Amino acid sequence: MTGRYPADVDVAIVGSGPTGAAYARILSERAPGATIAMFEVGPTVSDPPGAHVKNISDPDERAKAQARSEGPFASEGGERVGGIVKTAQRRARPGTFLLEQGYQVEGEDGLPVAAFSSNVGGMAAHWTGACPRPNDGERIGFLDERGVFDELLDEGDRLLGVTSTAFDSSPHASLVRERLAAVEDDGREPHERVQRMPLAVHRRDDGRLVWSGSDVVMGDATRENPNFRLFDESLVTRVLRSEGRAAGVSVTDLRTGESHEVRARFVVVAADALRTPQLLWASGIRPEALGRYLNDQAQIVFAVRIRDFVPAPEEEGAGPAGLSEYSGVTWVPFTDDLPFHGQVMQLDASPVKLAEDDPAAPGSIVGLGLFCAKDLQASDRVEFSEDAVDGYGLPAMTVHYTLTDRDHAVIDRAKTEIVRLGKAIGEPLDDRPFMMPLGASLHYQGSTRMGVQDDGTSVVSPDSEVWGAPGLFLGGNGVIPTATACNPTLTSVALAVAGARRIAADLASSPE
């Protein structure tokens, strides 16, 4: 799946995360004769390519895979910043690297821990796998009006391999859900009540859990497609156009330093919510809304010890990546009345280390997280320099980002709510909840947002095609036009399905 770049293809895909993988999968299923080249700036760190690093059982090999994902200056090892999250210190999670400059402008809140991953599979090699559905104001109204949103979300579930039963054997999962439901479910619609978190994870025949990465999204349909090729360590520096239409990409082979042009009938840019607008800007494609309406999810965290905890008689032992089954992952859905999305997770399922587990009673401590929906503003944006460059040689970023009075009010409510939920489960480990530094959610959205018309407030159409640049499609969380509090991956994959279907239909109607 690697080798010399082709001179031309039908579709060039920039980025190998879950949305780029979704484009490849749908095209492989619906247009199997189309030639597809996927370009990823980072290396292949797992086998199969794009697999989640949690599935690497050897901890040293897993750490190497994470370290190799950490950007243009990544290494095989080196000193890692770990420890319990207690301060506002800037730190990157394993498998990610921070925006080194431009993350905060004086007088603004900024995104101090804005971060990226560079590897085959993108952030899906490191994520928690949570795939809740958007609710109430999180939903995309114009897709609901067309009657397509839920069907697209169903397709997203299929591609990601989403289940809700992976942790059903966890001895304390039902106890956590029951205690939360007792204080939270009153007055909620059935689909809004406390429930199992939908997760992109499945159980093998031997009982071990396997977490979905881009490998699952691509599936056999893509891997067995002789017309699909994946090129890692390949930096796309420009989208090419001819008479205004997307015509291919300029790509540099990071192994040799040589640059090439690959012509394409369609181009999909699915980097992430910061690097996708960066590439468009570098290509001279600059819609008015490009980089604007940037939004993150303020994240409030808290840890408690389960009340009246009774250890399981016999633990089965750790699964892949040292994950044992204790209390699983529970979901408290977002509503307009309570504008935050809740996750309650056993400690070793969470990427954020909130406490040390109790060696005498493993599994007795759970972490709670509430994610808050942002008050959207066009002024929250990422700008790009005409002169300065980043570690990849692309235009340097500056983030402008400010919390509004409404944001502060929602955060204050979330701090009160998370203590109430935590006390329903057990005894708090700390007196007060902690707000993670902005950017910690890694759920950046809105910078290439979708809209129904080219009115300066959106970048792409409902099919994810860039206004004024036919043949150029975008993927990723940046396309989501609403302020979500839930994990956005399922939604962004669903939107990628619509874009891929549109390309497949165009290929069928105008074959060459």
Side-chain angles (χ1 to χ4, degrees), residues 4 38 46 48-49 72 96 138 142 149 153 167 176 188 194 231 235 285 357 389 425 431 436 446 453 495 497 499:
R4 188 179 298 275
M38 175 180 283
S46 57
T96 73
E138 296 179 304
F142 55 81
F149 195 27
L153 291 168
F167 282 93
V176 169
R188 285 180 173 244
V194 173
F231 300 93
L235 172 65
I285 303 169
D357 207 347
V389 297
I425 299 170
D431 294 334
M436 299 285 288
Q453 57 186 345
L495 300 181
V497 168

Side-chain angles (χ1 to χ4, degrees), residues 103-190:
Y103 52 83
Q104 187 174 18
V105 173
E106 186 176 357
E108 299 179 357
D109 296 292
L111 295 177
V113 291
F116 316 83
S117 287
S118 289
N119 53 272
V120 172
M123 201 70 78
H126 313 285
W127 68 320
T128 63
C131 290
R133 292 206 172 195
N135 186 50
D136 281 357
E138 296 179 304
R139 293 181 65 88
I140 302 172
F142 55 81
L143 295 183
D144 275 330
E145 290 171 4
R146 299 176 186 205
V148 299
F149 195 27
D150 284 319
E151 188 272 332
L152 292 173
L153 291 168
D154 288 342
E155 270 290 88
D157 280 341
R158 177 179 76 92
L159 298 187
L160 287 160
V162 175
T163 67
S164 295
T165 58
F167 282 93
D168 273 5
S169 60
S170 301
H172 311 298
S174 59
L175 174 65
V176 169
R177 287 196 301 272
E178 288 169 4
R179 291 181 177 178
L180 287 171
V183 299
E184 191 64 26
D185 279 357
D186 187 40
R188 285 180 173 244
E189 297 294 328

Side-chain angles (χ1 to χ4, degrees), residues 139-453:
R139 293 181 65 88
I140 302 172
F142 55 81
L143 295 183
D144 275 330
E145 290 171 4
R146 299 176 186 205
V148 299
F149 195 27
D150 284 319
E151 188 272 332
L152 292 173
L153 291 168
D154 288 342
E155 270 290 88
D157 280 341
R158 177 179 76 92
L159 298 187
L160 287 160
V162 175
T163 67
S164 295
T165 58
F167 282 93
D168 273 5
S169 60
S170 301
H172 311 298
S174 59
L175 174 65
V176 169
R177 287 196 301 272
E178 288 169 4
R179 291 181 177 178
L180 287 171
V183 299
E184 191 64 26
D185 279 357
D186 187 40
R188 285 180 173 244
E189 297 294 328
H191 69 280
E192 298 172 341
R193 293 172 185 165
V194 173
Q195 58 196 273
R196 299 171 178 86
M197 176 67 77
L199 294 167
V201 60
H202 67 275
R203 193 176 293 278
R204 297 190 329 197
D205 291 342
D206 64 5
R208 292 167 73 90
L209 295 173
V210 179
W211 296 81
S212 296
S214 287
D215 63 321
V216 171
V217 179
M218 285 191 279
D220 291 338
T222 307
R223 282 188 290 272
E224 296 174 2
N225 180 0
N227 294 315
F228 169 78
R229 299 183 76 185
L230 166 65
F231 300 93
D232 65 359
E233 298 184 70
S234 298
L235 172 65
V236 173
T237 57
R238 185 172 295 271
V239 175
L240 306 176
R241 289 195 292 173
S242 177
E243 298 181 352
R245 181 178 178 85
V249 296
S250 179
V251 57
T252 298
D253 185 341
L254 295 182
R255 296 173 181 173
T256 66
E258 297 176 347
S259 294
H260 307 263
E261 287 190 356
V262 178
R263 312 305 291 187
R265 296 171 62 190
F266 297 90
V267 174
V268 177
V269 181
D272 55 45
L274 298 176
R275 288 184 286 187
T276 292
Q278 179 189 45
L279 180 57
L280 266 62
W281 178 272
S283 305
I285 303 169
R286 302 176 180 180
E288 184 179 344
L290 186 71
R292 293 187 175 274
Y293 300 96
L294 176 66
N295 64 99
D296 177 39
Q297 299 166 351
Q299 184 178 359
I300 314 302
V301 295
F302 200 49
V304 301
R305 186 186 303 276
I306 298 175
R307 187 181 304 109
D308 303 322
F309 179 83
V310 178
E314 185 88 30
E315 287 293 347
E316 294 282 327
L323 183 66
S324 298
E325 295 185 42
Y326 298 124
S327 54
V329 187
T330 295
W331 176 28
V332 184
F334 167 99
T335 69
D336 286 343
D337 290 334
L338 288 170
F340 11 81
H341 149 81
Q343 292 181 197
V344 181
M345 309 177 73
Q346 59 182 64
L347 288 181
D348 54 354
S350 173
V352 179
K353 194 174 184 182
L354 299 176
E356 298 288 356
D357 207 347
D358 187 342
S364 62
I365 298 173
V366 298
L368 295 87
L370 289 183
F371 295 78
C372 304
K374 179 74 172 71
D375 188 15
L376 298 185
Q377 308 178 101
S379 58
D380 290 330
R381 66 198 187 278
V382 54
E383 291 184 341
F384 304 102
S385 173
E386 297 281 6
D387 304 308
V389 297
D390 64 10
Y392 288 112
L394 288 170
M397 303 179 190
T398 298
V399 172
H400 293 272
Y401 198 80
T402 304
L403 297 178
T404 68
D405 290 343
R406 179 181 174 186
D407 290 325
H408 285 292
V410 170
I411 289 167
D412 288 343
R413 287 185 64 195
K415 290 178 178 178
T416 300
E417 179 70 5
I418 203 169
V419 172
R420 186 176 75 91
L421 295 176
K423 288 182 176 179
I425 299 170
E427 306 306 323
L429 300 189
D430 293 298
D431 294 334
R432 294 182 297 175
F434 173 68
M435 178 174 164
M436 299 285 288
L438 292 174
S441 78
L442 307 178
H443 294 167
Y444 323 126
Q445 302 167 73
S447 56
T448 54
R449 70 201 304 250
M450 180 180 286
V452 294
Q453 57 186 345

